[in-house]
Amino acid sequence: MWSGGLTQNLADNHVNVVSMSVFVAVLCLCIVIGHLLEENRWVNESITAILIGCLTGTIILLWSKGTNSHIVRFNEELFFIYLLPPIIFNAGFLVKKKQFFRNFITIMLFGVVGVFISSAIIAAGIGTIFSSTDTVCTLQVLNQDETPLLYSIVFGEGVVNDATSVVLFNAVRELDISKLDVWAAVYVFGDFLYLFLASTVLGVATGLLTAYAFKSLYFGRHSTDREIALMVLMAYLSYMLAELLQLSGILTVFFCGIVMSHYAWYNVTENSRITTRHIFATMSFIAETFIFLYVGMDSIDIEKWKMSKTSFKTSVGICCTLIFLILLGRAAFVFPLSALSNYMNRRAERTPITFKHQIVIWWAGLMRGAVSIALAFSQFTFSGITWNPVHATMVTSTVIVVLFTTLVFGFLTKPLINVLLPHHAMENNHHQDPDSHNDELKVPLRNFEESSSTNFSRAESLSMLIERPVYTIHFYWRKFDNAYMRPIFGGPCR
């Protein structure tokens, strides 16, 4: 019996090894084809991976005579524990901090308030699944040197939006549906606020601890490998600690990335700086490609389509309704909140968000991606499998919405932006430092164009503090950072 069990285990392991080998080979194919299509802005890595996934799933389906379409079986834990952390950490580590914090209020309006509005329109728990955006297609077309304001808002909202969607999704999932009232809404908001703040504090604390360790111990004098290993492991540890404490790992690891790039990055050797930057970007790229490749294969999953027991007409109706609600929910907050942002910054020397910009921002958030898939699988499947027809319908509908929005809206992104924002239409260069692109990573959180003395003089009056809160807060933060934070945790004073 023992021999038979061992033989069975070896056979299972062999099958798993073969499956992973084939999947890795397909991943390599995605990278090669993506490289060949690099100059084609109509097709990005996400679309390429989805199409290759669909083709691969079809081949497997035919090979297995209609019994299977996957190389590997999706597991929501695989996504949340292994694939999501490098994607979010890289976003925080390489975020254009100067533009991000300059437009922080606008980004938070879109990324936080917008998710609440969109979720309410689409409908509660389902709304949180379909409120998570994927701005990859738009960001690949936008030029951050020509449109720094627009690029910063789209990128920043995309990251904050994903974090908010996950946090809100967890808060709504724990809600007792039988006791829905005003206090329930207050509870959800309070729970969301607690998770948001506590997760942020944990991420900042982990980043500061890492920076202090690098500064005081100087690992690089013996081996840069230790520096790189510690930075990667501490980033992952911050995510796991957040999950262990039932906080939002996605928020924690994002702010951990920001803090590490602001302090810890200056305390390592030049070789470690270059290496870590590419390691984080590479891990994020592989994780994203993995997810979209699986989405393509999952769209051919016959088992889910049979289990949903929904007619073609009903499926089309559900998907069309969801897409319409996504369009409506997005418009319900982008245009009003853009007007509010322009009003709040009316006295600041910042380019307003024009109507054309608002259309691009609205369009950028219509595409749904990896987070929506992960939330749907987490809620409606167990290890990628569901035996409930209603749950199967929700999963297949999510897959269709992700495919449709990514492929159709993604293909139309470039012509739309070319019409609205011609290549020669530059944002006012008065709002951009000439060396900001080259020095962004070397000088995180640099001062705005205005001199410190100008900021200080404007902050002296209470009225200017109210009218220009971002500039004023940044001035005092910079003074505190130079006087106390950088001497302890590292980085040059600016």
Side-chain angles (χ1 to χ4, degrees):
M1 183 178 293
W2 181 83
S3 177
L6 178 61
T7 303
Q8 181 64 36
N9 290 336
L10 290 174
D12 292 340
N13 290 336
H14 178 71
V15 171
N16 292 334
V17 170
V18 171
S19 299
M20 287 306 302
S21 299
V22 174
F23 197 90
V24 171
V26 177
L27 277 174
C28 293
L29 180 64
C30 287
I31 294 173
V32 172
I33 295 179
H35 169 72
L36 297 176
L37 298 175
E38 178 66 25
E39 300 301 323
N40 187 343
R41 290 293 185 176
W42 291 74
V43 181
N44 56 59
E45 286 86 355
S46 303
I47 295 177
T48 302
I50 287 178
L51 293 177
I52 293 177
C54 291
L55 179 61
T56 304
T58 303
I59 294 174
I60 296 174
L61 194 65
L62 295 175
W63 183 272
S64 64
K65 298 180 180 179
T67 60
N68 186 29
S69 66
H70 302 95
I71 300 175
V72 295
R73 178 66 64 179
F74 184 90
N75 189 325
E76 58 272 14
E77 292 183 359
L78 171 68
F79 175 83
F80 283 106
I81 296 179
Y82 300 108
L83 299 179
L84 188 60
I87 296 174
I88 302 302
F89 179 83
N90 182 64
F93 192 77
L94 296 183
V95 67
K96 299 295 183 181
K97 300 168 199 65
K98 179 181 174 182
Q99 288 288 338
F100 180 84
F101 285 99
R102 173 189 293 175
N103 302 304
F104 185 74
I105 294 178
T106 304
I107 289 171
M108 295 304 289
L109 282 174
F110 287 152
V112 178
V113 179
V115 169
F116 275 87
I117 296 174
S118 178
S119 298
I121 290 177
I122 299 176
I126 298 176
T128 59
I129 294 176
F130 292 104
S131 293
S132 177
T133 64
D134 182 13
T135 58
V136 172
C137 295
T138 307
L139 289 175
Q140 288 188 340
V141 178
L142 289 176
N143 189 309
Q144 59 183 322
D145 294 324
E146 295 182 1
T147 55
L149 168 66
L150 187 57
Y151 188 95
S152 172
I153 292 176
V154 171
F155 175 81
E157 188 221 341
V159 175
V160 176
N161 177 287
D162 285 346
T164 305
S165 297
V166 174
V167 174
L168 185 59
F169 175 80
N170 291 330
V172 171
R173 187 161 61 172
E174 296 177 1
L175 190 64
D176 187 353
I177 301 179
S178 63
K179 299 179 180 179
L180 289 178
D181 53 20
V182 176
W183 291 110
V186 173
Y187 170 79
V188 169
F189 179 76
D191 190 37
F192 167 81
L193 195 61
Y194 163 74
L195 289 174
F196 198 96
L197 294 178
S199 302
T200 300
V201 170
L202 179 60
V204 171
T206 307
L208 291 177
L209 178 63
T210 307
Y212 184 77
F214 282 136
K215 185 175 176 62
S216 58
L217 300 178
Y218 190 54
F219 289 86
R221 64 187 170 191
H222 297 300
S223 172
T224 59
D225 295 338
R226 291 188 179 94
E227 291 181 324
I228 299 170
L230 184 61
M231 188 175 291
V232 172
L233 291 175
M234 286 298 290
Y236 188 69
L237 179 61
S238 71
Y239 183 89
M240 296 308 298
L241 283 176
E243 294 298 317
L244 183 64
L245 298 173
Q246 296 184 334
L247 300 176
S248 171
I250 189 172
L251 266 178
T252 298
V253 78
F254 174 68
F255 281 99
C256 180
I258 291 180
V259 173
M260 278 193 183
S261 66
H262 188 52
Y263 297 111
W265 193 79
Y266 289 100
N267 301 331
V268 299
T269 61
E270 187 65 29
N271 288 336
S272 295
R273 295 180 187 180
I274 297 173
T275 305
T276 51
R277 184 180 183 183
H278 289 292
I279 282 178
F280 294 139
T282 301
M283 293 171 62
S284 175
F285 173 74
I286 293 175
E288 288 181 339
T289 305
F290 184 104
I291 293 167
F292 282 106
L293 184 61
Y294 186 88
V295 169
M297 289 188 294
D298 198 68
S299 64
I300 314 296
D301 189 352
I302 298 298
E303 295 176 4
K304 289 189 179 67
W305 290 104
K306 290 181 178 178
M307 183 57 59
S308 67
K309 299 180 180 179
T310 304
S311 65
F312 177 78
K313 183 178 180 180
T314 303
S315 297
V316 172
I318 293 174
C319 294
C320 289
T321 301
L322 288 172
I323 293 173
F324 171 76
L325 291 175
I326 289 172
L327 294 168
L328 180 62
R330 183 79 183 164
F333 73 84
V334 167
F335 298 103
L337 293 183
S338 295
L340 177 61
S341 176
N342 288 336
Y343 177 78
M344 295 172 62
N345 292 281
R346 66 193 185 284
R347 296 184 182 274
E349 296 178 7
R350 193 202 76 172
T351 305
I353 306 175
T354 66
F355 183 69
K356 291 182 178 181
H357 287 168
Q358 294 174 31
I359 294 178
V360 173
I361 294 172
W362 171 72
W363 185 268
L366 295 178
M367 286 159 275
R368 297 298 179 262
V371 175
S372 294
I373 288 290
L375 293 179
F377 272 78
S378 176
Q379 178 67 22
F380 300 115
T381 71
F382 179 77
S383 297
I385 301 174
T386 179
W387 302 106
N388 187 310
V390 176
H391 290 178
T393 300
M394 289 307 306
V395 172
T396 54
S397 299
T398 303
V399 171
I400 293 175
V401 169
V402 170
L403 284 174
F404 181 86
T405 56
T406 302
L407 295 176
V408 177
F409 294 159
F411 274 121
L412 297 176
T413 296
K414 183 181 179 180
L416 175 69
I417 293 179
N418 285 342
V419 171
L420 295 176
L421 304 173
H423 184 70
H424 63 275
M426 305 276 287
E427 286 183 5
N428 194 339
N429 288 329
H430 177 71
H431 303 281
Q432 182 184 7
D433 297 333
D435 299 325
S436 62
H437 177 67
N438 296 328
D439 297 340
E440 189 69 50
L441 188 60
K442 297 182 179 179
V443 192
L445 289 175
R446 283 180 56 185
N447 191 19
F448 300 150
E449 310 81 11
E450 301 174 271
S451 65
S452 298
S453 59
T454 304
N455 278 332
F456 184 72
S457 63
R458 292 185 174 181
E460 288 180 333
S461 71
L462 181 61
S463 61
M464 291 309 297
L465 174 63
I466 296 174
E467 292 171 356
R468 302 179 63 111
V470 176
Y471 286 82
T472 307
I473 292 172
H474 179 271
F475 169 75
Y476 284 110
W477 159 251
R478 186 168 173 268
K479 288 186 63 177
F480 177 80
D481 192 31
N482 289 334
Y484 300 102
M485 299 297 288
R486 287 192 180 276
I488 298 176
F489 299 105
C493 296
R494 300 294 177 182

